[in-house]
Each structure stands twice: as C-alpha cells, then as structure tokens.
Amino acid sequence: MVFLGIVLMAVAVWQLLPSPKKDGGVVPSFSDGADGDKKKSSKKKKKSSAKSSSKNASSKKSSKKKSSSKKGSSSKLKTAELGRPLKVAIVTWGGYAGGLYANKGLEPDKDSIFWEDYDLAVEFRVIDDYPASRAAFKLGGDKGGVDIMWATVDSYALEYPSLKDQNPRAFMQYDWSRGGDAIAVTKNIRTVADLKGKRVAVAEGTPSHYFALYLLSQADMRTGDVRWVFTDSAVEAAQLFRQKRVDAAVSWSPDVYLAAEDRKGGHILASTRDASSLIADVFVARGDFAKKHPEVLARFMMGWFEGVEKVNAKPSRAYKYLQDSFEGVDRDTAKAMLKDVKLPSYAENLDFFEISGEQLRGYDDIFDEATGLWRSLGKISGRARASKSRSTRYLKAIRKEAEKRFGRVETKAPTREFNFDFSGSDKGADKDPILTKRISIFFPSGKSTLDDNQKFILDGAARLAQTFGAARMRVSGNTDDVGSRKNNVRLSRARAQAVVDYMVRAHNFPPDKFIVVGNGPDNPIADNDTDEGRKKNRRTDFEIVGR
C-alpha cells in the first residue's frame, strides 16, 4: 500500500508539469520546500522614453494601446492551462524589448517565440496609469485584470505591504535603468552637497524619489536638508524646472534631459547611466497564480530570455515592436529607449537574485535599502523581509533547459561590467564629484595596513562603487596636521592605495575604476586644535566622479 501511494503521488506531480515539446522544450521541476529564500551571511520609471507618455506612481492618464496587426487566428490563441492568454501589465518603456520581440508585439501571435517554442499565448497590456495597473493586478487575469505586473524593486518595497492579499512574488528581472532616471540642476549646483537648502521637484513615492533619497543618504545628508516640491508626475517635476520654479528636478527620460537643455545653465548632476545598479525593474506575479501555474511562469521566462538573447545580439530587431506597441514612438525614439536600459540575460538574473552567489547589489540589497529609506520617511511601518517578497524557484527550475538553449551559465562579474578608458591613478583627481561619502578608517599610527574591522567597513564603500558601476571612484586619504606635511601626504596616499587594493582584491573591481589621492593635512573638515577635530580629519573620502 505504501508503494502504491508513492506511485500515485508521483503520477499526480508529473501531471502538473508541462509535456516536453518535439524540440526538447521546457520540463521544469518544482520543490515543495522553501524556494531558495536564503539569508545573506552579511550582508523613466517606466519613464516615458516616448515624449507623450510616462509611468507615474501617482496619477496619470493611461496611454492608448496599439493593436498589432495579426495574421490568421492569432487573436484567438489561448494558453492551454489558462483557457486564455497570460496577461502581463507593462508601461511605455524600452525594458520590454525582449518580451515584445518574443511575442511579436502586444497580442498573442502564432508565429511568435512564445507560441511556437513554448505553447504560450501572451497578452501585454500597456497601462501607464500606475493606480490602474495595480487595480488590474489586484483583480487578476481571470477577472479581466492581469496575472503579472511590472515594478521597480525600490517602489515595490514601498507598495508591498498594500499587496498582501495578492501575496505577490517578484520572480525575474527584466531590466536595469541605464540613463532613464536623472536629476537636472542649475549651473551653481555641482555636487549633491550643493542641494542643501535648494528646492527639489519630484513625484513622491516614485523611482525618481528613491533616486534622490539614495543620493542624499550616500552624501551623508538628511531628507530635511532639501526643500521638497512634490508633484503629481515626473513630467510635472521636469516642467517646474524648465519654468525656473525649482532648483532641481528628478525625473525620467526624455523629459528630464529636455528640461536641462531648455534652461540656461541647466545640466544633469547624476543619472542611472552612472548609477548603473540602482533602479532595477522586475516582474511580479500574483501568489495564487504562481502557485497554481508554476509551469506557465517557467515557460514565460524561457520565452522572454530567448527574446532578450536575440535583441541583445541585434538591438534593431526590437525597434519595430517598440514602435507598434507604444503611442508616440518612432524608430529614433525606439532606438533611444533601448539605449536607456540594460536587458539582463538568464545568467544575469541568477546573479541578481544571488542564486549564483552573493552580490554587492542584488535584489535583497535594493529591497532592504529602499525599505529603510521609506520607513525613515514614515511611508511604511514595520520591515518586510526581502526574501518573502520574491521567489527564486522558477529561475532554478528552468536552469537545465536555459543552459541547453542559451549555453552554460558563465557571466562576467558585475563589478567588471564596465571598462575605464584611462590609465594612471591621478587622472581626474581635480574633477568635481557627484557626491562624497566620508568614512573614518582606523590605521595604526604611521601605518597603512588594514585590519579585519576596517575591511568590514569598506564593504559599504564597495556597495557604493558598484551602485555607480559606470562611474569612477576617487579615494582620498586625509590626515591631521601632526607631523611633517611631506610624511602625512605620503602616508595618506599609501592608506588610500591600501583601501583601493582591498576593494580590487575582495570585490574584483578593475583597478582603473579608482583614482588614488593623498591629501595629507591639506583638506581639513574640522579644527586641528582639538582631539575631536583631528579625529574627524583623519578620514578617507570616497567620491563618485562621473565620466
């Protein structure tokens, strides 16, 4: 009887899995235990690249959705397990290029990768109105809503408590913002510190708001150090800057760049082109849907990643589908939209969700960091665990098939993604930084050797360096005025070099990312006449220097 019971149970589990296709398609397996939710040992937006559309985490009118021309009976295609298409909410944004290519547009298509290779009918719904997209997610695909919604990890941390009834799970990353978010400032604002006391326009609770909060926190500033001007949309924030009603505006492409160009002396202080590992977009599934249809999510991911492989190999393949899917987008705009994002592969998703090992800027890091920032503003109470908000079981389940189709998982270390076209540690020593983070690092008197406690402190600086992955970091050693200036300059440079050597060795950064400077006693921030002042002056400054 026991043997018979085991057999019957095995048959029941087998029936939940999709049948292999003729070409050896996906046959994922799912465990019933925890889905890899581990604890670490230490540890535009959808910004409209189209001029007339923008995702807005406040209120905004939905843009019209285009219907791609379909052949034959494509419009009647249904995913077998659902009796309807899989429904996915997106916004006007270049990060969906891989999926739109795999689907041949917004509507199910019988000639698409999703259908031909994975028996999946997919319907993408463009819902630029933020509240409307969340209402559709709460409604669910069976009731006229959607099964999957987009989110940025930072804004997802803010809204997660309000979605508890849907038991949402982030399950894949579809892009990094690489220029889509930026802060426009007046000519007299050269660094983040210069924002103190200035009027800063931003749509509250959006990725733009998070971007601004992150910059302030890393520059050791408080949220009260600036005069916030909250707007209903990112577009409005850019307009206020253009009208000279504020000193700075955090907004999305293309509006923020146009606003900076239109105002005399206006310029971009920082963008996600430099802060390349700050704003990550993910797909989030309803918990009930994910539990009932894990194989559908698995096939969706496989089709999506196949589309990403194709688009990354030849970006022009996606231009037509971006044009056809979004209002106000021509070929040039589509091309620009795609340049504002990075489309992560399957292997890079394993890195982001830390399945392949701990990362300096993984999903959990960003979610927890954003949660802390939102809590500090009183936007949320309590502290949600990042591991409860996502699931890695689907990425794990498709690994064998993904490696079969896309090759073995071998990725370049995230810290090595960017090359730096300069040599010599002194180049860029005098350039204004975007921001400066000051850290007190203890060295024995007259020595430049780091102990284990100081190395732990430096891991925080390493996370900043990875967040600004495309920017350089200037590491400046500083001393008090005790002793000869010549010896202090030499010692401060040796200590700065020791810091850089550790970050290169421990975190695999390219050496040319760093600029090493020894200031000695020449750059004090306090009076050297007191013990407390001398202590403050014995510090290491980490400065982000844009390209």
Side-chain angles (χ1 to χ4, degrees):
M1 290 299 291
V2 173
F3 176 76
L4 178 60
I6 293 174
V7 171
L8 291 174
M9 182 179 295
V11 171
V13 171
W14 175 254
Q15 289 176 338
L16 290 175
L17 303 178
S19 301
K21 299 195 70 175
K22 293 179 181 179
D23 61 355
V26 185
V27 186
S29 59
F30 298 94
S31 64
D32 292 328
D35 54 282
D37 295 333
K38 59 179 178 58
K39 290 184 179 179
K40 295 180 68 173
S41 58
S42 58
K43 224 255 218 208
K44 179 174 181 239
K45 190 18 227 101
K46 283 355 180 200
K47 1 243 131 325
S48 158
S49 255
K51 294 182 180 179
S52 60
S53 300
S54 172
K55 175 213 90 171
N56 182 350
S58 300
S59 60
K60 202 167 184 303
K61 294 181 180 179
S62 300
S63 64
K64 296 178 181 178
K65 182 174 73 175
K66 288 187 177 182
S67 297
S68 302
S69 58
K70 294 293 157 197
K71 297 174 287 182
S73 58
S74 291
S75 61
K76 298 180 181 179
L77 296 179
K78 298 177 181 179
T79 298
E81 299 92 328
L82 307 179
R84 58 170 174 80
L86 173 67
K87 299 178 181 179
V88 184
I90 64 173
V91 291
T92 303
W93 178 239
Y96 303 106
L100 291 172
Y101 176 82
N103 206 46
K104 297 181 73 69
L106 295 173
E107 303 294 335
D109 192 299
K110 62 184 179 63
D111 296 321
S112 70
I113 291 173
F114 277 128
W115 183 256
E116 286 194 334
D117 292 354
Y118 302 102
D119 285 338
L120 204 62
V122 179
E123 176 188 324
F124 290 111
R125 295 181 56 190
V126 181
I127 311 177
D128 283 324
D129 184 283
Y130 184 87
S133 69
R134 272 41 193 169
F137 183 72
K138 291 179 178 180
L139 197 60
D142 287 333
K143 297 180 180 179
V146 297
D147 308 298
I148 297 169
M149 70 175 189
W150 62 267
T152 60
V153 178
D154 56 278
S155 62
Y156 181 45
L158 177 61
E159 66 178 329
Y160 180 72
S162 69
L163 296 171
K164 61 182 180 180
D165 290 343
Q166 286 70 47
N167 191 27
R169 291 290 182 269
F171 65 93
M172 67 173 283
Q173 181 193 19
Y174 61 83
D175 78 54
W176 283 108
S177 173
R178 293 290 170 85
D181 302 83
I183 177 168
V185 296
T186 56
K187 64 179 180 180
N188 61 319
I189 297 175
R190 310 305 300 180
T191 72
V192 172
D194 293 334
L195 291 171
K196 187 170 184 177
K198 301 296 192 298
R199 296 163 299 169
V200 180
V202 67
E204 190 174 15
T206 64
S208 296
H209 193 190
Y210 168 69
F211 187 18
L213 292 173
Y214 178 82
L215 291 177
L216 294 178
S217 69
Q218 295 305 303
D220 300 319
M221 295 173 66
R222 300 184 300 272
T223 57
D225 286 338
V226 302
R227 296 159 58 193
W228 297 104
V229 179
F230 292 122
T231 62
D232 288 334
S233 73
V235 174
E236 182 185 351
Q239 289 173 343
L240 290 181
F241 182 78
R242 184 182 288 110
Q243 296 165 359
K244 301 182 180 181
R245 295 168 60 187
V246 293
D247 305 297
V250 197
S251 186
W252 303 325
S253 171
D255 304 278
V256 66
Y257 295 102
L258 295 174
E261 291 175 5
D262 291 346
R263 183 165 174 175
K264 185 177 180 179
H267 65 103
I268 298 298
L269 174 63
S271 78
T272 51
R273 202 170 300 283
D274 290 319
S276 53
S277 297
L278 181 63
I279 297 182
D281 292 305
V282 294
F283 275 130
V284 178
R286 288 174 54 98
D288 54 355
F289 181 88
K291 183 177 181 180
K292 187 175 181 180
H293 301 293
E295 73 290 344
V296 172
L297 289 186
R299 301 206 307 274
F300 174 73
M301 295 166 73
M302 285 296 301
W304 186 281
F305 291 132
E306 188 168 333
V308 166
E309 294 284 332
K310 299 289 187 182
V311 173
N312 281 341
K314 187 177 180 181
S316 59
R317 287 172 167 153
Y319 298 163
K320 166 181 167 51
Y321 300 109
L322 292 173
Q323 287 177 254
D324 290 347
S325 300
F326 303 131
E327 289 289 336
V329 173
D330 57 19
R331 184 176 177 83
D332 288 341
T333 304
K335 186 176 181 179
M337 290 171 73
L338 205 47
K339 285 185 176 180
D340 278 345
V341 298
K342 172 184 170 61
L343 308 180
S345 64
Y346 169 72
E348 288 166 327
N349 263 259
L350 294 183
D351 286 342
F352 180 66
F353 285 96
E354 301 184 277
I355 296 170
S356 54
E358 291 187 7
Q359 304 294 327
L360 287 170
R361 292 293 291 178
Y363 173 90
D364 287 13
D365 301 291
I366 299 173
F367 186 96
D368 289 340
E369 178 182 77
T371 296
L373 288 173
W374 298 129
R375 287 182 72 245
S376 71
L377 294 179
K379 297 297 181 184
I380 54 177
S381 60
R383 183 180 291 276
R385 286 176 52 194
S387 60
K388 293 294 185 182
S389 71
R390 47 87 174 158
S391 177
T392 59
R393 66 195 300 243
Y394 312 102
L395 282 168
K396 292 176 180 178
I398 64 174
R399 184 162 189 161
K400 182 177 180 180
E401 184 67 22
E403 290 189 345
K404 175 182 175 182
R405 292 183 180 240
F406 313 136
R408 290 191 60 80
V409 174
E410 295 178 2
T411 60
K412 195 174 185 179
T415 53
R416 290 272 178 171
E417 180 182 349
F418 299 95
N419 295 317
F420 297 89
D421 56 357
F422 67 98
S423 59
S425 60
D426 288 330
K427 185 170 182 181
D430 297 327
K431 187 174 181 180
D432 285 339
I434 296 172
L435 64 83
T436 300
K437 186 175 185 65
R438 295 191 167 105
I439 299 178
S440 295
I441 300 174
F442 174 78
F443 289 92
S445 178
K447 303 292 184 182
S448 58
T449 305
L450 290 166
D451 64 24
D452 289 340
N453 289 332
Q454 307 312 307
K455 291 176 182 178
F456 177 79
I457 293 173
L458 284 176
D459 288 339
R463 282 188 287 274
L464 175 63
Q466 179 56 24
T467 301
F468 282 87
R472 292 169 289 172
M473 174 176 272
R474 183 164 58 224
V475 181
S476 303
N478 300 272
T479 67
D480 55 30
D481 65 352
V482 177
S484 73
R485 179 184 179 280
K486 181 178 179 180
N487 286 340
N488 279 334
V489 169
R490 177 191 57 77
L491 181 61
S492 64
R493 182 180 177 87
R495 288 174 170 175
Q497 187 63 58
V499 166
V500 168
D501 290 344
Y502 169 76
M503 294 175 72
V504 169
R505 183 176 63 255
H507 298 291
N508 201 26
F509 286 107
D512 280 350
K513 178 180 176 68
F514 300 97
I515 304 163
V516 180
V517 177
N519 292 321
D522 296 344
N523 191 21
I525 59 173
D527 194 333
N528 275 308
D529 292 336
T530 66
D531 288 340
E532 184 64 25
R534 288 190 292 271
K535 182 179 179 181
K536 289 181 179 179
N537 290 332
R538 296 191 297 269
R539 70 192 190 281
T540 303
D541 291 343
F542 296 87
E543 299 174 307
I544 298 300
V545 180
R547 293 196 175 201

